Amino acid sequence: MSTETPSKIQKILAAGHLAVTSEVGPPRSADGLVIEHKAKLIADYVDGINVTDNQTSVCRVCSLACCIRIKQMGLEPVLQMVTRDRNRIALQSDILGAASFGINNILCLTGDHQHFGDHANAANVFDLDSVQLIATVKMMRDEGRLLGGHEFQVRPQMFIGAACNPFAGPNVALRVARLAKKAAAGVQFTQTQCIYNMNTFKEFMKIMVDRGLHEKVAVLAGITPMKNVGMARYMQKRVPGIDVPDEVVKRIGGVPKEKQAEEGIKLAIEQIQEIKEIPGIKGFHIMAIEWEEKVPEIVKAAGLFPRPN
Amino acid sequence: MIRAVGKPIEEIIGMVQDFNKLLIAGCDGCVTVCEAGGLKEVKVLAAALRLYFTQAGTSKQIEETSLTRQCDKEYLAQLRDSIDGYDAVVSLACGVGAQFVADMYTKKVVFPGVNTSFMGATEERGWYVERCQGCGQCILAETGGVCPIARCSKRMLNGPCGGSEAGKCEVAPDIPCGWELIYERLKTLGQLDRFEKPVTPKDWTTSRDGGVRKILREDLRV
């Protein structure tokens, strides 16, 4: 994982612990307390809190503002940053801004296409892509230089992350190759897409380990508990790049409606237990979408609590 | 080649209704090939407008023509003697041609009759797909002959993103993922080593981001 930063997540990984991160989605209004409330719910159960950046291209409070708030609560934010909405000037500016508040983790993403969101008629930017953003953060951190060539003294101390999606098939080897490209650009950890298809994920991890890539990039397995069968069906049919096998839909749908949330949590815990045994895994990224209050229960039941200091 | 589609007749009627003498001007270039703005489409549009205005009880003079190319002054000059006889011109050329008509005949009202869409190829008759965005710095040599700027919906230089499914783009299931195409092509060519090498940020100054673009060929100028 090369360069050392003050990141708590990096320290926990370096000490050989399984890391646990989670994420909170900002509100679609100027209510800053929403993030504070969500962060408090999970604070003691995770090592880092991602804040999504206008996820699914729906306009929300910006990730940077929320990360500053989380940092000021004494917690560990992970700044998610997509290249869809900002060019290289704005991206680097926000990285410097985040670093000026002591934010030490960044997740570099290209971002969903805007056609999914609430401003489908917007122009997109995509001046850089995620790989180029990774390389840019690395250059700013390790060389103290901007893409335009300007050199500066106070460098952003970022632990650099990226997403990866083993399920955006059909070719799993291609997905490992893509992560290898991110590793070559400087990525240090990855949080995967929500895992439901365990066979594909195991195939992905096997190629990772065979190539020795798991030593270069810490893989945090993405876990999203299903709230009900409606969510399972929606994720199966509507969310791009997510692979929900029929048996998952059947399992959640196979219990009475009032028991489906419980079944979803149970499945998430079982997934964590199973993934723990997969060689090369370095932690978990629990994305409980608008269900943050369930994170403590999942972390505890999965044997991931208490968190190391 | 430039691809265009005819504007809806209602939109054209809305533009021309206050003008009495109209010239519908086609172009024998790209828009003829994609059957959006050649002489055939000029005739169809003129007939439709005549029918509409006759039924509406309005008398209009509507003439038809098509020029070899509307993006060349020598062909546009052929309108010089007749242009004053019209109140407005509906150009069925691409946006380049329509603007060139307006440039040359500054006092004439010029309406676009087509929506200029993209530079693309004919997959089949009536099925045109974008292939190039004219970024000004061709990188096809590095990407197995498949352009990620035009064929990835996020113009990624290090794709594919995580949104593709079964080789299709997240934007629409009928768009092949450009980066899946590149990966497969590089594999076929035995050049997969290129795929894992990060591509540095692109210099967009030769794209639209550098301002209005021009080519000055001193060797061709007299």
Side-chain angles (χ1 to χ4, degrees), chain A residues 229-239:
Chain A
V229 72
M231 175 178 173
R233 281 202 201 101
Y234 180 80
M235 302 257 285
Q236 185 181 48
K237 305 269 185 238
R238 295 291 174 87
V239 185

Side-chain angles (χ1 to χ4, degrees), chain A residues 88 113 129 178 181 211, chain B residues 158 160 170 195-196 202:
Chain A
R88 63 190 76 181
H113 193 273
D129 60 27
R178 179 95 200 296
K181 191 184 319 204
R211 293 187 53 167
Chain B
N158 295 283
E170 70 179 28
F195 181 81
E196 289 192 18
K202 188 170 172 69

Side-chain angles (χ1 to χ4, degrees), chain A residues 10 19 53 77 94 136 158 160 175 184-186 190 195 216-217 239 246 252 256 271-272 290:
Chain A
Q10 187 180 23
D53 180 4
D94 281 357
T136 301
M158 293 290 183
I160 305 173
R175 293 294 153 181
T190 182
I195 299 161
K216 291 186 184 150
V217 186
V239 185
D246 287 337
I252 305 294
Q271 286 172 329
I272 294 175
E290 295 303 319

Side-chain angles (χ1 to χ4, degrees), chain B residues 64-175:
Chain B
E64 305 160 6
T65 190
S66 191
L67 303 172
T68 304
R69 280 194 299 276
Q70 290 192 26
C71 56
D72 271 327
K73 286 180 183 172
E74 60 181 292
Y75 300 113
L76 272 188
Q78 294 167 3
L79 294 177
R80 193 171 299 284
D81 294 339
S82 59
I83 194 90
D84 287 339
Y86 305 104
D87 300 328
V89 179
V90 178
S91 168
L92 296 196
C94 67
V96 178
Q99 287 186 66
F100 233 36
V101 177
D103 273 6
M104 184 170 280
Y105 303 109
T106 52
K107 292 181 181 162
K108 207 51 62 184
V109 175
V110 179
F111 294 118
V114 302
N115 289 322
T116 307
S117 304
F118 50 78
M119 282 186 272
T122 308
E123 293 276 4
E124 294 165 23
R125 187 178 173 198
W127 177 233
Y128 313 115
V129 180
E130 185 169 24
R131 282 288 186 277
C132 177
Q133 290 196 347
C135 74
Q137 262 183 3
C138 193
I139 54 167
L140 285 172
E142 283 88 54
T143 54
V146 179
C147 176
I149 311 288
R151 303 187 70 185
C152 166
S153 298
K154 302 175 184 174
R155 66 175 189 181
M156 297 174 73
L157 292 173
N158 295 283
C161 76
S164 64
E165 243 180 27
K168 303 296 180 190
C169 176
E170 70 179 28
V171 171
D174 63 351
I175 304 173

Side-chain angles (χ1 to χ4, degrees), chain A residues 23-54:
Chain A
E23 70 183 33
V24 292
R28 300 176 71 186
S29 79
D31 185 354
L33 293 179
V34 171
I35 283 295
E36 204 169 309
H37 172 69
K38 288 182 174 180
K40 272 184 191 159
L41 287 174
I42 60 176
D44 296 335
Y45 300 87
V46 297
D47 310 318
I49 301 172
N50 286 43
V51 182
T52 47
D53 180 4
N54 298 300

Side-chain angles (χ1 to χ4, degrees), chain A residues 141-183:
Chain A
R141 182 192 66 194
D142 297 348
E143 299 170 38
R145 199 153 52 84
L146 297 179
L147 283 168
H150 170 72
E151 293 186 6
F152 54 87
Q153 290 300 317
V154 183
R155 301 173 178 186
Q157 294 299 304
M158 293 290 183
F159 185 42
I160 305 173
C164 78
N165 187 357
F167 313 104
N171 191 331
V172 178
L174 185 162
R175 293 294 153 181
V176 177
R178 179 95 200 296
L179 190 53
K181 191 184 319 204
K182 290 182 177 181

